[in-house]
Amino acid sequence: MSLSQAGEIVAELENVSRVYRMGSANVRALDDFSFAFRRGEFWAVMGSSGSGKSTLLNVLGCLDRPSSGQYRVRGTPTSDLDDDELSDLRSRELGFVFQSYNLIPQLDVLENILVPLFYQDDPPADGEARARRLAERVGLADRLHHRPTELSGGQQQRVAIARALVNDPALILADEATGNLDTQTSLEILKLFDELHAEGKTIVLVTHEPDIAARAERVLRLRDGRLEGVVENRLVAP
Amino acid sequence: MRTIRLGVSSLLLHKLRSALTTLGVLFGTSSVIAMLAIGEGASEKAQAEIRQLGSQNVILRSVKPREDFASNQQTRVNSYGLTNADYARVAATFPGVGRVVPVREIYEEVRRGARAMNPRVLATEPIYREVTGRKVMEGRFLTDQDERAVANVCVLSDEVAHYMFPIEAPLGHTIKIGGDYYTVVGTLMPRTRQRSDAPAAGEQTQAEVFIPLQTGRKWYGNLQVKMRAGSRDMEEVELHEIVIEVENAAEVPTVAAAAREMLGRYHETQKDYEVVVPLEQLLLAEKTKRIFNLVLGSIASISLLVGGIGIMNVMLATVTERTREIGIRRALGAKRRHIVTQFLVETVVLSVGGGLLGVALGLVVPLIVEHFADMPTVITPTAPVLAFLISAGVGVIFGLYPAWRAANMDPVEALRHE
């Protein structure tokens, strides 16, 4: 797999800092961090715990606001968006895949996949057809009306990936997406990410496992809220 | 629509909890309806009883004055009450007065063979029946002919007829009142319902025997002896009751005032009469009814309030329990108002569900009460509607805070919640 050529910038951080107050001390989870993610890239974010990985992911996902600096999604500055506008941005431009799948227990597979569209101001008319296609794409066409509790961990994570794709997001954010899965299932999920990457999706995968990071196109290393380095993986998927 | 379906499916996830929560509103709503129905029924009953006395009548009654002097004598004569002169004055001078009926009460036992009872024996004129609105069941009421002939005839109320003549028809038979024999010429229909437990002023014994006024005067005189344990009471009363029928209901208060004033002037020495105005009692009963309904309604509303607090409690727990779900939904693009709507819909479904079941139960309970406790109940059409709207309102009001709490969670914190 070759490195993708420089595409349009989908997410850009400019001198972003995120400061938490812990008692009397301030903790800088992100410290004057600048970075740009381009269309079609597959990044792994690595770093020890406390390095700012999660904070970076939250900022990228518009779940958390920078204390200072600017974050742009497809050129749109987020600092002056209100809560509703941020929610709207999430439902249109972002896809989330979590470590613990985070499906909604009272909904079946199809309904879970449809959730992001449900919250769009102007949902597409072909939403359900799209969800069915995605369910098929992740290999769950015959499980459409099962509840999450009736699925294995790997199947649940496939549903979550389909859900992250349903709104055709600019950026897919995955947080330790294989952390709860056994090796075999992890490989299957990673293969799915590879395929998505091949289709030109932009993916940011947070992990602390080097094996997993090695599957990404590039690795971004964080330490103490700062960029430690960038590694370009020469390895090609088996 | 989808939101409602979603809400219902979330609630079905915890069937028992939802059912128990609903119970609070259910009982609240049904008790509001039942309480109002019982209250309404009780007041209708009181009003019906007052109406029986005739809302267009003013009743003057003799009352035995209080015995404030030493009464260690074994035998004495009490002279008190309304007089024939009072009757004449009322009949002659009152404006707007239709008919005036004098009534004497005779304290004698009524017997037929071995059967004996103590009904009110009333000596009165034929128009008594019309003025008091009683209806003849069999035979006839007293007539002017009976008056003129001073005939020994009597008319029995339903109770007396039943007791004295358990098998045969009473008409034409004789009964004994005190020492004299009377021929039964008619029986009366029972009054609308039930024995009276209305306020003392309206109190009437149902068992009654009517004889012509002149007959009563002739045989029993004004002086009557009442036997009591160990002592004899001699009473001298000319008339026990004067019923004034006022032609125009609007003039009832005027006539009542005039009667009070007139009697006051002629009975200066002792207060040995009372003026009963059913219309005044009716107005009073209306007022009492409003207070009664208000009190019952508020008691029931408190149970509805408790139901609402129950809902809020459960919803707060639910919100905490589903913190993670809230985080997921927010991450996937749900706005605050989406979350508010979601939880509000759930509470409203709970309370409206409880409300509907409560209305159903509330309509059944009065029937049960009526059947087993023999209390009349009246369900006004507004009561179920009102109760239902209140229960739905309770859902919205008590759902707002938990929903607001859910919507204002920090998505990052919520996602981290285990």
Side-chain angles (χ1 to χ4, degrees):
Chain A
M1 196 180 287
S2 63
L3 296 178
S4 51
Q5 57 275 58
E8 167 207 4
I9 293 174
V10 290
E12 185 182 18
L13 298 134
E14 195 181 306
N15 307 112
V16 167
S17 295
R18 182 66 176 95
V19 184
Y20 296 103
R21 281 201 76 83
M22 299 273 269
S24 55
N26 285 340
V27 177
R28 303 184 80 84
L30 281 179
D31 191 3
D32 199 23
F33 185 84
S34 296
F35 205 81
F37 298 91
R38 290 170 184 274
R39 177 173 294 283
E41 292 179 336
F42 182 6
W43 282 92
V45 177
M46 281 201 74
S48 55
S49 66
S51 61
K53 306 194 294 284
S54 299
T55 305
L56 175 62
L57 196 78
N58 290 337
V59 170
L60 286 175
C62 294
L63 294 170
D64 200 358
R65 289 167 182 275
S67 309
S68 64
Q70 183 62 274
Y71 171 50
R72 288 188 200 88
V73 178
R74 277 176 141 180
T76 310
T78 58
S79 60
D80 39 337
L81 298 183
D82 66 18
D83 192 81
D84 274 6
E85 288 164 330
L86 279 180
S87 301
D88 201 46
L89 193 69
R90 286 197 293 270
S91 76
R92 284 186 293 105
E93 306 287 5
L94 299 168
F96 288 89
V97 180
F98 301 95
Q99 177 173 8
S100 45
Y101 331 127
N102 280 353
L103 300 179
I104 294 170
Q106 59 268 39
L107 303 181
D108 66 21
V109 166
L110 194 63
E111 290 167 331
N112 261 295
I113 296 175
L114 278 166
V115 169
L117 298 185
F118 182 65
Y119 291 124
Q120 284 185 358
D121 288 335
D122 190 14
D126 66 334
E128 189 163 332
R130 206 191 280 183
R132 282 176 190 277
R133 262 202 314 280
L134 285 167
E136 203 171 332
R137 166 86 179 68
V138 298
L140 289 168
D142 55 339
R143 296 271 196 281
L144 285 181
H145 297 294
H146 287 238
R147 294 284 164 106
T149 45
E150 297 163 339
L151 301 177
S152 70
Q155 287 171 327
Q156 289 190 52
Q157 196 59 301
R158 285 161 186 277
V159 177
I161 291 170
R163 180 177 68 183
L165 293 169
V166 78
N167 54 350
D168 195 17
L171 186 63
I172 297 170
L173 299 166
D175 185 8
E176 305 275 9
T178 55
N180 282 11
L181 299 172
D182 60 52
T183 320
Q184 182 56 38
T185 322
S186 294
L187 285 174
E188 287 170 24
I189 295 294
L190 286 171
K191 190 158 162 280
L192 199 51
F193 276 117
D194 284 338
E195 289 168 17
L196 294 176
H197 173 49
E199 287 168 23
K201 305 284 183 210
T202 315
I203 304 167
V204 176
L205 177 75
V206 171
T207 183
H208 63 272
E209 288 181 60
D211 289 356
I212 308 289
R215 298 289 296 260
E217 191 184 22
R218 298 178 172 96
V219 180
L220 188 160
R221 288 189 162 278
L222 279 178
R223 166 171 280 189
D224 301 330
R226 286 170 178 274
L227 183 64
E228 191 187 30
V230 167
V231 182
E232 305 235 335
N233 285 331
R234 310 250 168 218
L235 286 170
V236 175
Chain B
M1 206 52 232
R2 234 194 102 169
T3 328
I4 293 173
R5 205 169 56 77
L6 260 171
V8 172
S9 73
S10 303
L11 293 173
L12 288 179
L13 221 55
H14 301 282
K15 288 191 191 66
L16 181 65
R17 181 200 291 177
S18 304
L20 290 176
T21 314
T22 309
L23 274 187
V25 180
L26 195 159
F27 287 128
T29 313
S30 58
S31 60
V32 167
I33 297 173
M35 290 279 206
L36 288 179
I38 292 166
E40 193 73 26
S43 76
E44 291 245 322
K45 184 180 154 194
Q47 289 184 31
E49 275 164 4
I50 293 165
R51 248 181 236 112
Q52 262 179 22
L53 294 173
S55 57
Q56 266 168 256
N57 292 351
V58 172
I59 300 165
L60 314 180
R61 241 179 229 157
S62 296
V63 179
K64 193 173 179 174
R66 258 179 295 128
E67 299 169 28
D68 38 9
F69 48 89
S71 61
N72 47 8
Q73 302 153 266
Q74 289 267 298
T75 307
R76 57 195 160 72
V77 177
N78 259 333
S79 181
Y80 68 93
L82 302 164
T83 60
N84 290 319
D86 288 330
Y87 168 62
R89 274 192 290 269
V90 169
T93 58
F94 275 24
V97 165
R99 290 171 288 198
V100 182
V101 193
V103 181
R104 279 185 49 74
E105 197 170 340
I106 289 147
Y107 307 120
E108 293 288 357
E109 199 179 40
V110 176
R111 292 181 154 277
R112 176 173 181 260
R115 290 174 175 267
M117 71 189 296
N118 281 299
R120 288 180 79 199
V121 178
L122 302 175
T124 186
E125 290 180 349
I127 50 170
Y128 179 89
R129 189 192 61 77
E130 286 171 52
V131 170
T132 53
R134 304 293 296 268
K135 290 191 179 64
V136 172
M137 186 150 69
E138 278 183 293
R140 57 174 178 85
F141 196 68
L142 306 171
T143 59
D144 291 336
Q145 177 60 37
D146 296 333
E147 275 304 316
R148 280 196 294 276
V150 198
N152 273 20
V153 293
C154 67
V155 174
L156 309 181
S157 76
D158 188 54
E159 290 82 353
V160 181
H162 270 110
Y163 181 74
M164 291 292 175
F165 301 93
I167 303 163
E168 63 273 60
L171 292 191
H173 287 86
T174 53
I175 58 167
K176 198 175 171 190
I177 301 173
D180 299 293
Y181 290 93
Y182 289 77
T183 308
V184 179
V185 294
T187 57
L188 294 181
M189 301 261 264
R191 296 195 185 196
T192 22
R193 249 188 88 100
Q194 294 176 341
R195 39 176 290 105
S196 161
D197 51 6
E203 199 177 284
Q204 300 241 334
T205 322
Q206 280 289 336
E208 286 160 330
V209 174
F210 300 92
I211 60 171
L213 184 64
Q214 293 308 326
T215 313
R217 285 225 173 94
K218 180 181 166 198
W219 294 115
Y220 306 99
N222 289 341
L223 190 69
Q224 297 198 62
V225 182
K226 235 186 200 174
M227 299 297 285
R228 280 215 228 120
S231 76
R232 280 186 302 164
D233 260 2
M234 309 260 254
E235 283 188 359
E236 190 173 17
V237 179
E238 287 183 20
L239 287 174
H240 289 84
E241 217 172 270
I242 299 172
V243 182
I244 307 170
E245 186 195 44
V246 184
E247 271 169 354
N248 183 353
E251 285 174 25
V252 168
T254 325
V255 172
R260 285 198 179 103
E261 215 225 275
M262 189 207 83
L263 290 175
R265 211 179 314 139
Y266 289 97
H267 295 254
E268 271 174 332
T269 46
Q270 52 184 5
K271 171 100 169 127
D272 53 0
Y273 64 91
E274 64 173 356
V275 178
V276 179
V277 188
L279 189 71
E280 285 177 1
Q281 291 178 1
L282 205 62
L283 295 176
L284 198 69
E286 293 275 355
K287 206 169 143 194
T288 318
K289 171 198 156 181
R290 274 199 295 276
I291 296 167
F292 198 54
N293 275 357
L294 203 68
V295 171
L296 284 182
S298 352
I299 292 170
S301 302
I302 288 170
S303 60
L304 203 53
L305 186 78
V306 172
I309 294 171
I311 285 196
M312 177 146 105
N313 199 4
V314 166
M315 287 315 289
L316 282 174
T318 303
V319 165
T320 310
E321 191 183 81
R322 284 160 66 186
T323 301
R324 198 182 180 84
E325 182 193 325
I326 296 163
I328 299 166
R329 288 183 184 273
R330 293 283 277 139
L332 299 182
K335 299 186 175 71
R336 285 201 175 116
R337 62 181 156 83
H338 289 129
I339 303 294
V340 168
T341 315
Q342 184 192 341
F343 282 94
L344 214 51
V345 161
E346 284 185 30
T347 17
V348 171
V349 165
L350 276 181
S351 65
V352 164
L356 282 177
L357 293 173
V359 166
L361 185 66
L363 295 178
V364 173
V365 165
L367 295 181
I368 297 171
V369 168
E370 199 164 327
H371 188 260
F372 288 102
D374 196 28
M375 282 169 69
T377 57
V378 175
I379 295 169
T380 55
T382 46
V385 177
L386 192 76
F388 179 73
L389 289 180
I390 293 175
S391 71
V394 160
V396 174
I397 290 164
F398 287 96
L400 271 175
Y401 176 65
W404 179 86
R405 269 246 305 234
N408 282 283
M409 283 179 178
D410 174 24
V412 175
E413 288 292 325
L415 275 171
R416 211 178 288 155
H417 193 269
E418 284 308 317

